[in-house]
């Protein structure tokens, strides 16, 4: 991990949101590609173009349960004057030796089975008497339950055009076609396609491993009893879930007490399973801001200027931030504020793009749009700060939820967007068009 030149700025500098993000993305590099089994590659990003080695489907096959016929043998067929054909056998999916359909002959054929030589179309079983002689049937009997088996005669009550109910060889993809492009995130449909064309492994960038830890002696784990002055640790759960939602393999570490040595030891223990570390809390200017105390003097021995830099950003919420690298492998570390909303907004703006960059994606940002502000009164914003307010977005309109307080978790749970108020704007009137970051 290289160190951005901007890291050398003084401690009193006020960073913009864009500068801080640029610094992060300039230092975080995509993970090295590896070969993975298909199911292990789910959620990973392809690093190679995939070309189809064999056409799909690899042969002409039936799209229906029915009878494989020659077109001339069923021409003009009706319920009053059915075509009567000799059934020469069954054609099932996976059958190695296909039958040959000659004049006046037909074969029972199952969905997905190859169209036998001589046949030109498939008539659905519902267009026939199923070989039972009692008029149209609703479906095909299982062979084991059909005394007449696949022999005898069948009455066909409708004609069929050439290629009717036949899926042509290569109608999905043809050999030599591009199946998937490098940069594709592998979801279930993509994995299905890879399996269908015979690929058992694929070369991808692995999902980043993200370790999340909260700091604060006041934090208690859910299901435990709260004591005086204690609160439940929600940040580590929120950020771990957010990291997984972003595509990472995320590990949550229990809250670390306000002790610098304990925090350093915990981080050191976790480095072995981390491609990215995220802490929350302890980055402000209080007497117990343990992250800042523990990591301000930490540097990489073999990389000049590296370490964790704590800075102030011209944003609300989330003014205090920390970023740098730690350990012999220069693992990126982002130190976020401890207030729940500040922590989550900071994750969306800085950590999520870092995770997506580690994955090797070109577009690392949440989608944005313009929307009309729907509210009863004007929104105020501090001068010189870029404010991010929670909101709900629908049909080109966005409505604020909750207040500006960075502790309001309940309002955060209702939001699916962030309303962006630029640094040079101190008031936004109802009906104004605003920038919106879409979270869902």
């Amino acid at each position: 991990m290289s160190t951005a030149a901007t890291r050398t700025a003084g401690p009193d500098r006020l960073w913009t949101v864009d500068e801080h993000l640029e610094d992060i993305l300039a230092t975080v590099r995509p993970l090295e590609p590896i070969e993975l089994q298909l199911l292990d590659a789910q959620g990973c990003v392809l690093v190679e173009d995939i070309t189809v080695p064999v056409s799909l489907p690899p042969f002409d096959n039936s799209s229906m349960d029915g009878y494989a016929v020659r077109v001339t043998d069923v021409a003009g067929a009706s319920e009053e004057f059915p075509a009567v054909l000799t059934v020469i056998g069954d054609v099932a999916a996976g059958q190695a030796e296909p039958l040959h359909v000659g004049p006046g002959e037909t074969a029972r054929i199952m969905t997905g089975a190859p169209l036998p030589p001589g046949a030109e179309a498939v008539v659905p079983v519902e267009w026939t008497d199923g070989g039972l002689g009692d008029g149209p049937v609703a479906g095909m009997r299982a062979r084991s339950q059909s005394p007449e088996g696949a022999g005898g005669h069948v009455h066909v009550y409708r004609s069929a055009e050439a290629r009717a109910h036949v899926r042509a060889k290569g109608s999905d993809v043809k050999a030599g076609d591009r199946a998937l492009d490098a940069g594709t995130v592998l979801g279930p449909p993509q994995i299905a396609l890879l399996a269908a064309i015979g690929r058992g492994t694929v070369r991808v960038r692995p999902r980043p491993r993200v370790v999340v830890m909260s700091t604060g002696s006041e934090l208690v784990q859910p299901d435990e009893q709260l004591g005086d002055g204690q609160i439940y640790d929600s940040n580590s759960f929120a950020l771990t879930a957010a990291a997984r939602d972003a595509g990472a393999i995320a590990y949550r570490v229990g809250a670390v007490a306000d002790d610098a040595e304990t925090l350093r030891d915990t981080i050191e223990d976790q480095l072995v399973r981390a491609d990215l570390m995220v802490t929350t809390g302890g980055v402000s200017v209080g007497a117990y801001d343990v992250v800042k105390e523990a990591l301000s003097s930490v540097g990489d021995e073999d990389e000049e200027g590296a370490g964790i830099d704590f800075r102030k950003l011209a944003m609300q919420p989330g003014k205090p931030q920390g970023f740098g690298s730690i350990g012999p492998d220069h693992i990126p570390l982002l130190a976020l504020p401890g207030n729940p909303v500040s922590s989550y907004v900071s994750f969306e703006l800085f950590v999520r793009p870092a995770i997506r960059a580690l994955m090797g994606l070109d577009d690392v940002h949440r989608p944005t749009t313009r929307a009309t502000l729907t509210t009863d009164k004007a929104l105020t914003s501090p001068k010189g700060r870029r404010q991010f307010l929670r909101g709900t977005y629908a049909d080109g309109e966005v409505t604020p939820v909750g207040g500006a307080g960075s502790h309001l978790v309940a309002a955060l749970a209702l939001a699916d967007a962030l309303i962006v108020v630029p640094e040079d704007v101190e008031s936004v009137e109802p009906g104004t068009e605003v920038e919106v970051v879409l979270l869902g």
Side-chain angles (χ1 to χ4, degrees):
M1 173 174 159
S2 63
T3 305
T6 49
R7 189 75 55 76
T8 58
D12 295 329
R13 174 181 172 182
L14 191 63
W15 293 66
T16 68
V17 172
D18 296 334
E19 287 173 337
H20 185 59
L21 178 59
E22 182 182 354
D23 193 22
I24 293 169
L25 295 181
T27 56
V28 173
R29 295 287 180 262
L31 299 177
E32 289 298 316
I34 58 175
E35 191 84 12
L36 289 178
Q37 298 287 329
L38 287 189
L39 291 179
D40 294 330
Q42 183 173 353
C44 297
V45 177
L46 270 177
V47 296
E48 58 180 343
D49 295 332
I50 302 295
T51 301
V52 178
V54 59
S55 295
L56 291 182
F59 46 79
D60 291 349
N61 70 91
S62 177
S63 65
M64 306 285 287
D65 293 331
Y67 290 85
V69 300
R70 292 157 43 99
V71 172
T72 55
D73 289 339
V74 295
S78 66
E79 290 198 32
E80 186 178 2
F81 300 105
V84 182
L85 304 177
T86 300
V87 181
I88 61 173
D90 277 355
V91 183
Q95 188 170 314
E97 305 259 345
L99 303 171
H100 186 282
V101 176
E105 296 178 339
T106 185
R108 292 204 315 173
I109 190 167
M110 315 307 152
T111 301
L115 188 70
E120 300 166 313
V122 172
V123 292
V125 66
E126 294 86 355
W127 297 3
T128 76
D129 68 351
L132 304 178
D134 295 326
V137 295
M140 188 174 289
R141 288 188 180 187
R143 187 170 186 176
S144 61
Q145 298 174 350
S146 182
E148 73 283 353
H153 294 83
V154 65
H155 290 69
V156 179
Y157 301 119
R158 292 175 60 176
S159 61
E161 297 180 355
R163 310 296 293 176
H165 307 295
V166 174
R167 296 184 289 218
K169 174 182 178 179
S171 56
D172 190 353
V173 289
K174 294 180 173 59
D177 285 352
R178 178 79 59 81
L180 296 170
D181 293 328
T184 299
V185 179
L186 297 182
Q190 292 77 31
I191 288 175
L193 175 56
L194 289 166
I197 62 176
R199 289 291 295 262
T201 64
V202 67
R203 191 163 176 78
V204 296
R205 296 192 191 278
R207 293 166 63 197
R209 300 166 301 161
V210 177
V211 174
V212 176
M213 67 179 70
S214 294
T215 63
S217 298
E218 77 282 8
L219 298 177
V220 175
Q221 297 309 299
D223 290 331
E224 295 181 5
Q225 189 68 34
L226 283 179
D228 291 341
Q230 293 183 320
I231 60 173
Y232 287 118
D233 172 21
S234 63
N235 282 3
S236 64
F237 285 91
L239 299 184
T240 302
R244 292 176 180 176
D245 182 69
I249 299 170
Y251 306 103
R252 190 190 72 88
V253 180
V256 180
D258 288 322
D259 179 77
E261 185 175 351
T262 301
L263 177 61
R264 279 193 292 263
D265 289 344
T266 303
I267 290 176
E268 185 176 341
D269 289 342
Q270 295 295 324
L271 284 175
V272 67
R273 63 172 180 172
D275 297 307
L276 175 69
M277 298 203 70
V278 180
T279 66
T280 172
V283 296
S284 191
V285 293
Y288 292 91
D289 286 329
V290 64
V291 175
K292 197 169 184 180
E293 177 188 351
L295 300 181
S296 289
S297 60
V298 173
D300 290 332
E301 295 179 359
D302 58 347
E303 187 169 348
E304 183 181 355
I308 309 302
D309 179 39
F310 292 90
R311 52 186 65 159
K312 299 173 184 176
L313 270 60
M315 64 180 285
Q316 185 183 41
K319 181 179 179 180
Q321 300 282 337
F323 170 64
S325 65
I326 192 167
D329 294 324
H330 316 305
I331 302 301
L333 184 147
L334 282 89
L336 310 183
N339 280 318
V341 177
S342 300
S343 175
Y344 185 73
V345 169
S346 298
F347 179 95
E348 286 292 339
L349 296 180
F350 307 124
V351 183
R352 193 176 195 277
I355 290 173
R356 309 292 279 179
L358 286 168
M359 293 174 67
L361 290 168
D362 291 331
D363 186 3
V364 301
H365 302 290
R366 288 282 198 186
T368 61
T369 188
R370 305 290 295 181
T372 301
L373 180 65
T374 303
T375 182
D376 294 333
K377 59 181 180 179
L379 300 181
T380 59
S381 184
K383 184 177 182 180
R385 302 271 192 93
R386 186 180 304 181
Q387 189 173 42
F388 297 89
L389 298 169
R390 286 132 289 163
T392 57
Y393 172 81
D395 301 324
E397 296 184 345
V398 65
T399 305
V401 292
S406 56
H407 63 292
L408 302 174
V409 183
L412 182 62
L414 301 175
D416 60 9
L418 294 177
I419 303 168
V420 183
V421 182
E423 291 87 341
D424 59 350
V425 175
E426 297 182 59
S427 180
V428 184
E429 296 294 330
T432 302
E433 188 179 76
V434 294
E435 181 184 358
V436 174
V437 179
L438 301 177
L439 301 180

